[in-house]
Amino acid sequence: MESLKRRDFIKSSSALVGAAALTSSSVSSVFAAGSDVIKIALIGCGGRGTGATFDAFASGQNIKLVAMADAFKDNLDSTYSTLKEKFGDKIDVPDSRKYVGFDGYKAAIKDADVVLLCTPPGFRPIHFEEAVKAGKHIFMEKPVATDIPGIRRVLAAAKEAKAKKLNVVVGLQRRYQTNYREAIKRIQDGAIGDVVSGQVYWNSGGVWVRPRKPNQTEMDYQMRNWYYFNWLCGDHIVEQHVHNIDIANWVKGKTPVSIQGTGSRAQRTGKEYGEIYDNFAIELTYDDGAVVYSQCRHFEGISNRVDETFQATKGRVYLSAGNQAVLWGPDGKEIYRHDPKGNPNAYQQEHKELFEAIAKGEYKFDNAEYGAHSTLTGIIGRIACYTGKVIKWDEAIQSNIDIMPTTYSWDAKPKVLPNAEGFYPVAVPGINVEKYI
């Protein structure tokens, strides 16, 4: 447990201009001797998996997709058709390397040099463990877990990945976005002094719903509607707002010591929204007394906001995924405004840098640790709101509350089930808090 302590969060990693690039060291090429083809496997064939594969091919390296895995055959078939039409012979996935089912990832990982882990995040810890065990370089989507035991598994696998010099990139793409890199480098060089407060937001209208079908098993239904179940998604404070929470930790160069907040289901209250909240508001308190306010919500028909702002002893900063970054000094005058012209696509840039390092036989990327810490920050925020309690980091990381199913099969029962009317249990602050901490 000591390796998980807040004081062990590597502050220096935040100064590495976002990529967590380690001192470049050589690593044996993982792909076949005499060939410069990098074989990749896609684990998780939904929209994000399809997008990640497009981004990998945009890296400019000699890449070939050789294996695919998904729990659902229709997902795999649809993504295969899309990719084959776009990339032709670069998609070399015969039926024998199309793996359907909960265990398909194991075979797909063996077939490749690099794996793209793009399933719902609840599966990330076991998939990451397997990829590291097999000695593969890895791109994995955020967040990297949905409960604290899963975080511990990711951190343990991250340590093994370091020892094996496996490049690991996590899809917190703002770390690869030029405006964030340039602005946060200036912050950490002291341009606006010490950051004492901040506000980070992801307020939007929510996501899709897939209606229940006749004779559909509960596992099938929850898997199809993975966003609304914590074992698969982590709630939107984890699955989506992790991007903004990660910026808070990056700017501060550390993780919070405690988190408190509130949340509820105010608008999206129907049975089709599973067990998750539709709004959260939390405070991240750091060991130097700085407090960052974090807000996310899924409301329709209201104003949206997705950005970050911070106040410091000598100025302030505004950041957004729309390539904006402005720093102001103590007199309110601009000291830096980012020029977005010619900035690369951050989704593509993370793959470009990963595959370039692999092609050169270099070990440069160790994103798993900060990905795990920012994911854990979101998980603790969820727990704080579900329970109504102030949750301390060093106590939370010892939690053994495991929300994952005990077995994975289509007739298995997840741990959260609907009542006779089809409604799922929803956390009420102050009630049954032992279920969450």
Side-chain angles (χ1 to χ4, degrees):
M1 294 302 300
E2 190 65 18
S3 66
L4 301 180
K5 294 290 187 182
R6 168 185 50 77
R7 59 180 173 269
D8 291 334
F9 182 80
I10 302 175
K11 183 175 181 179
S12 61
S13 67
S14 63
L16 292 176
V17 201
L22 305 179
T23 300
S24 179
S25 58
S26 62
V27 58
S28 298
S29 173
V30 296
F31 41 98
S35 171
D36 65 351
V37 176
I38 302 174
K39 297 183 293 183
I40 65 173
L42 174 61
I43 316 299
C45 300
R48 185 76 284 274
T50 304
T53 308
F54 270 74
D55 295 333
F57 278 112
S59 70
Q61 301 301 325
N62 189 2
I63 294 171
K64 183 172 285 189
L65 179 68
V66 300
M68 300 171 68
D70 195 277
F72 296 106
K73 186 177 185 300
D74 58 324
N75 281 356
L76 193 155
D77 290 343
S78 176
T79 295
Y80 173 80
S81 296
T82 298
L83 295 173
K84 189 68 173 178
E85 180 178 357
K86 175 66 177 178
F87 299 108
D89 292 342
K90 291 184 178 294
I91 309 302
D92 181 18
V93 189
D95 289 345
S96 61
R97 292 200 295 270
K98 296 175 181 176
Y99 304 103
V100 175
F102 288 101
D103 293 330
Y105 70 97
K106 296 178 181 178
I109 287 170
K110 292 179 181 178
D111 290 331
D113 307 315
V114 185
V115 296
L116 311 181
L117 303 181
C118 303
T119 62
F123 294 105
R124 201 84 70 240
I126 60 175
H127 292 175
F128 182 50
E129 280 181 339
E130 185 71 18
V132 171
K133 179 181 177 182
K136 311 299 184 178
H137 297 295
I138 297 158
F139 170 82
M140 61 175 170
E141 262 303 339
K142 57 77 213 165
V144 300
T146 57
D147 62 15
I148 294 172
I151 291 291
R152 293 200 292 267
R153 295 178 74 164
V154 169
L155 287 169
K159 184 176 181 180
E160 183 180 349
K162 283 185 183 180
K164 291 183 174 182
K165 294 186 176 180
L166 302 175
N167 286 293
V168 180
V169 166
V170 172
L172 292 164
Q173 77 281 349
R174 286 164 175 77
R175 297 263 184 165
Y176 292 82
Q177 189 160 331
T178 307
N179 62 314
Y180 282 95
R181 286 177 162 182
E182 291 294 327
I184 293 175
K185 180 180 186 299
R186 286 167 170 78
I187 294 169
Q188 294 177 342
D189 286 344
I192 57 174
D194 297 328
V195 173
V196 296
S197 63
Q199 301 79 38
V200 299
Y201 300 90
W202 194 308
N203 293 339
S204 64
V207 299
W208 40 262
V209 173
R210 297 177 179 130
R212 189 183 293 271
K213 297 179 180 179
N215 302 317
Q216 190 174 26
T217 69
E218 184 61 29
M219 180 65 79
D220 184 276
Y221 175 76
Q222 292 195 18
M223 288 278 287
R224 296 283 187 182
N225 287 274
W226 62 269
Y227 208 97
Y228 299 103
F229 298 95
N230 284 332
W231 72 273
L232 287 159
C233 165
D235 211 321
H236 65 102
I237 190 175
V238 177
E239 200 285 331
Q240 190 176 64
H241 192 40
V242 67
H243 284 293
N244 317 99
I245 288 171
D246 181 61
I247 297 303
N249 287 345
W250 185 13
V251 166
K252 287 299 297 175
K254 60 182 75 175
T255 58
V257 295
S258 67
I259 301 174
Q260 71 88 29
T262 188
S264 69
R265 287 163 69 100
Q267 189 186 89
R268 296 168 72 97
T269 59
K271 64 182 70 175
E272 66 270 29
Y273 301 118
E275 63 176 322
I276 71 171
Y277 279 8
D278 62 10
N279 68 96
F280 291 88
I282 63 174
E283 291 178 344
L284 312 175
T285 299
Y286 293 84
D287 62 0
D288 58 2
V291 177
V292 174
Y293 173 72
S294 158
Q295 184 183 101
C296 60
R297 64 190 184 204
H298 280 180
F299 292 163
E300 296 181 3
I302 61 169
S303 61
N304 294 338
R305 181 173 184 180
V306 183
D307 57 22
E308 305 87 22
T309 185
F310 299 91
Q311 298 77 45
T313 54
K314 298 179 181 179
R316 58 192 176 92
V317 61
Y318 174 80
L319 301 160
S320 83
N323 280 323
Q324 298 183 69
V326 185
L327 276 71
W328 294 271
D331 56 2
K333 293 182 179 179
E334 283 187 16
I335 57 177
Y336 173 74
R337 178 176 289 271
H338 182 71
D339 182 0
K341 293 179 181 178
N343 288 186
N345 179 307
Y347 289 95
Q348 295 177 357
Q349 187 67 19
E350 58 191 359
H351 288 269
K352 180 179 184 296
E353 295 183 21
L354 171 63
F355 282 98
E356 182 178 0
I358 293 169
K360 291 180 177 179
E362 295 176 345
Y363 172 49
K364 295 182 66 175
F365 298 102
D366 173 30
N367 295 180
E369 187 167 349
Y370 75 65
H373 281 104
S374 290
T375 300
L376 178 54
T377 306
I379 291 172
I380 296 174
R382 181 188 76 210
I383 295 169
C385 294
Y386 280 10
T387 62
K389 293 183 175 294
V390 177
I391 307 296
K392 295 181 178 180
W393 181 280
D394 286 346
E395 295 175 357
I397 58 175
Q398 301 177 50
S399 171
N400 290 314
I401 301 297
D402 183 343
I403 65 175
M404 302 302 291
T406 55
T407 59
Y408 299 106
S409 66
W410 294 118
D411 58 356
K413 296 291 186 183
K415 292 180 179 178
V416 172
L417 299 171
N419 63 18
E421 289 75 39
F423 286 90
Y424 293 86
V426 176
V428 178
I431 304 298
N432 296 326
V433 298
E434 69 279 356
K435 291 175 57 178
Y436 308 105
I437 56 175

